[in-house]
Amino acid sequence: MAEKIPKPVSKRLVSYYMCLERLIDEGVEVVSSEELAKRLDLKASQIRKDLSYFGEFGKRGVGYNVEHLYNAIGEILGVKKEWKLVVVGAGNIGRAIANYAVMREKGFRIVGIFDNDPSKIGKEVAPGLIVKDVSDLERFVREEGAEIGVIAVPADHAQGVAERLEKCGILGILNFAPVKIKVSVPVENIDITAALRVLTFEIVRRSR
Amino acid sequence: MAEKIPKPVSKRLVSYYMCLERLIDEGVEVVSSEELAKRLDLKASQIRKDLSYFGEFGKRGVGYNVEHLYNAIGEILGVKKEWKLVVVGAGNIGRAIANYAVMREKGFRIVGIFDNDPSKIGKEVAPGLIVKDVSDLERFVREEGAEIGVIAVPADHAQGVAERLEKCGILGILNFAPVKIKVSVPVENIDITAALRVLTFEIVRRSR
């Protein structure tokens, strides 16, 4: 079933999951598709349709049991206790990621951070996390069983790092470098400058 | 014309723009839609269709003049010499943004960074950038003519900060807090945990 889910649906599933997480924190037990729609700025009909991919979770006129739906979507998403991440690049972005507590809370644990700059290697950049020489990357990934690689190196090094990560068995890549990388494992890109370009385009468009 | 461009097209326009920027750096003068497609992992027909929104830029069998297309898309996107940004939140993400050289190179200049934590206020977190008390945010934005607000505060403070930014005249918001914010100005979200959830969903899906 999960094989057929289109990308926009999987992105929305993630947003439902995160919204339900907040609802649980707020002590909410039952939620309607209308309330979810309001919180997520989507149409209720869209939400009902998406969730119908996975069978019926809601009761008409009553709503969805928050915890049940949360667990069901979590299972679909393959949420597990812990994913092990390595960060390549100990510059500003790499260090920020290494210190980003929210990730840890959500089950994404940084097990190693790497750089090729001798002035950075050996420095502790987050509690318990000392920058290692990137020449040690492959051995470390294999020994630690790291699953996700975070690329936080300059654009012209990103493809090379991605290929090294792929070869040593990394299952997926989160790429902060402002460049498209080509590997056979899944990649998610976070491009801050691109987001700013989309934002300013929207600003200019509204002012016209 | 620009008013009618759908969001996915505007995102692709941004990616064309950034790709053309790299081509200029590489000294490439003419590019075919096929070469652009290869670099961006899109279909050449898609690219030709997108660019046809803005009139004919390419010559059949020759390709696009890189610099001309770059400037034309830049004009559509409202690229200008400099946008002034304020960052709210001087934690790990806020400080990383303040130090992110690529943004400055692309015309996004951080003019101020704010926090409510007395232990952070007064500290220099990037060259020439001293953390200011967030109580001074509105006055500063108005006086400096800042146009973009970057939200790098915890999720439960994001909506409040967004409303303050909107009221003092900010034109758009880049939001790093893992929560949907509701304001009338355009917002672009960068949600690292959500990207990791989409990535791990794809990893799990492929392993099934």
Side-chain angles (χ1 to χ4, degrees), chain B residues 44-116:
Chain B
S45 57
Q46 173 82 77
I47 293 176
R48 288 192 297 269
K49 192 182 161 218
D50 285 346
L51 296 180
S52 74
Y53 269 83
F54 311 101
E56 275 305 317
F57 295 119
K59 278 180 189 160
R60 196 171 296 269
V62 179
Y64 300 94
N65 177 301
V66 172
E67 194 152 342
H68 176 229
L69 186 57
Y70 175 74
N71 290 331
I73 297 181
E75 198 155 311
I76 292 161
L77 291 177
V79 172
K80 56 174 193 169
K81 254 212 183 79
E82 189 175 279
W83 291 89
K84 290 184 186 173
L85 283 68
V86 289
V87 176
V88 186
N92 294 300
I93 301 285
R95 290 201 308 273
I97 298 300
N99 282 286
Y100 192 38
V102 175
M103 269 170 54
R104 181 64 182 268
E105 289 160 20
K106 305 292 179 194
F108 299 99
R109 185 159 74 92
I110 314 273
V111 294
I113 182 164
F114 296 83
D115 209 293
N116 64 0

Side-chain angles (χ1 to χ4, degrees), chain B residues 112-183:
Chain B
I113 182 164
F114 296 83
D115 209 293
N116 64 0
D117 179 349
S119 74
K120 286 178 183 153
I121 296 164
K123 294 244 167 76
E124 187 176 33
V125 289
L129 213 56
I130 291 164
V131 179
K132 291 185 174 61
D133 191 322
V134 75
S135 66
D136 205 27
L137 179 65
E138 285 81 354
R139 191 193 56 76
F140 184 90
V141 166
R142 288 201 186 95
E143 283 184 16
E144 289 287 323
E147 298 146 312
I148 295 171
V150 179
I151 296 185
V153 300
D156 49 345
H157 287 80
Q159 179 64 33
V161 168
E163 289 170 13
R164 287 178 62 181
L165 287 168
E166 182 179 27
K167 268 184 206 145
C168 63
I170 281 287
L171 302 175
I173 290 173
L174 183 67
N175 174 38
F176 283 87
V179 65
K180 204 101 181 177
I181 55 179
K182 284 179 187 172
V183 283

Side-chain angles (χ1 to χ4, degrees), chain A residues 5 38 182 184 205, chain B residues 5 38 182 184 205-206:
Chain A
I5 303 165
K38 209 177 119 197
K182 283 178 188 172
S184 62
R205 166 151 74 166
Chain B
I5 303 166
K38 209 178 120 195
K182 284 179 187 172
S184 64
R205 166 151 73 165
R206 291 200 191 179

Side-chain angles (χ1 to χ4, degrees), chain B residues 12-27:
Chain B
R12 286 196 298 272
L13 275 180
V14 166
S15 75
Y16 302 155
Y17 185 78
M18 296 171 91
C19 183
L20 291 161
E21 202 160 46
R22 279 193 296 278
L23 288 167
I24 289 171
D25 287 346
E26 293 170 17

Side-chain angles (χ1 to χ4, degrees), chain A:
Chain A
M1 162 179 64
E3 296 77 31
K4 294 177 200 156
I5 303 165
K7 183 87 175 215
V9 180
S10 74
K11 288 207 172 179
R12 286 197 298 272
L13 275 180
V14 166
S15 75
Y16 303 154
Y17 185 78
M18 296 172 90
C19 184
L20 290 161
E21 202 162 48
R22 279 194 295 278
L23 287 167
I24 289 172
D25 288 346
E26 292 171 16
V28 177
E29 289 177 7
V30 176
V31 69
S32 63
S33 53
E34 286 75 17
E35 172 64 19
L36 282 173
K38 209 177 119 197
R39 284 184 177 239
L40 294 166
D41 205 13
L42 293 168
K43 283 182 183 162
S45 57
Q46 173 81 79
I47 293 175
R48 287 192 297 267
K49 190 180 162 222
D50 285 345
L51 296 180
S52 73
Y53 269 84
F54 312 100
E56 275 305 318
F57 295 119
K59 280 181 190 159
R60 196 172 293 272
V62 178
Y64 299 94
N65 176 302
V66 173
E67 195 152 341
H68 175 230
L69 185 57
Y70 175 73
N71 290 331
I73 296 180
E75 198 154 314
I76 293 160
L77 291 177
V79 172
K80 57 175 193 170
K81 253 209 180 83
E82 189 176 278
W83 291 89
K84 290 184 186 173
L85 283 69
V86 288
V87 176
V88 186
N92 294 301
I93 300 286
R95 291 201 307 273
I97 298 301
N99 283 288
Y100 192 37
V102 175
M103 269 170 54
R104 182 65 184 267
E105 289 160 20
K106 305 292 180 196
F108 299 98
R109 184 160 75 92
I110 315 274
V111 294
I113 181 163
F114 296 83
D115 209 293
N116 64 359
D117 179 348
S119 74
K120 285 177 185 155
I121 295 165
K123 293 245 166 77
E124 187 177 33
V125 289
L129 214 55
I130 291 165
V131 179
K132 291 184 176 61
D133 191 321
V134 75
S135 66
D136 205 26
L137 179 65
E138 284 83 354
R139 190 193 58 74
F140 183 91
V141 166
R142 287 201 187 96
E143 282 184 17
E144 289 287 324
E147 298 147 311
I148 296 171
V150 179
I151 295 184
V153 300
D156 49 346
H157 285 80
Q159 179 65 31
V161 168
E163 289 170 13
R164 288 179 62 182
L165 288 168
E166 183 180 25
K167 269 183 205 144
C168 62
I170 280 288
L171 302 175
I173 289 173
L174 184 69
N175 175 39
F176 282 87
V179 65
K180 204 103 181 176
I181 54 179
K182 283 178 188 172
V183 283
S184 62
V185 297
V187 177
E188 279 293 313
N189 296 294
I190 295 191
D191 190 331
I192 297 167
T193 315
L196 281 168
R197 291 259 184 254
V198 172
L199 181 66
T200 51
F201 179 33
E202 186 63 31
I203 291 172
V204 169
R205 166 151 74 166
R206 291 201 191 179
S207 73
R208 268 170 189 158

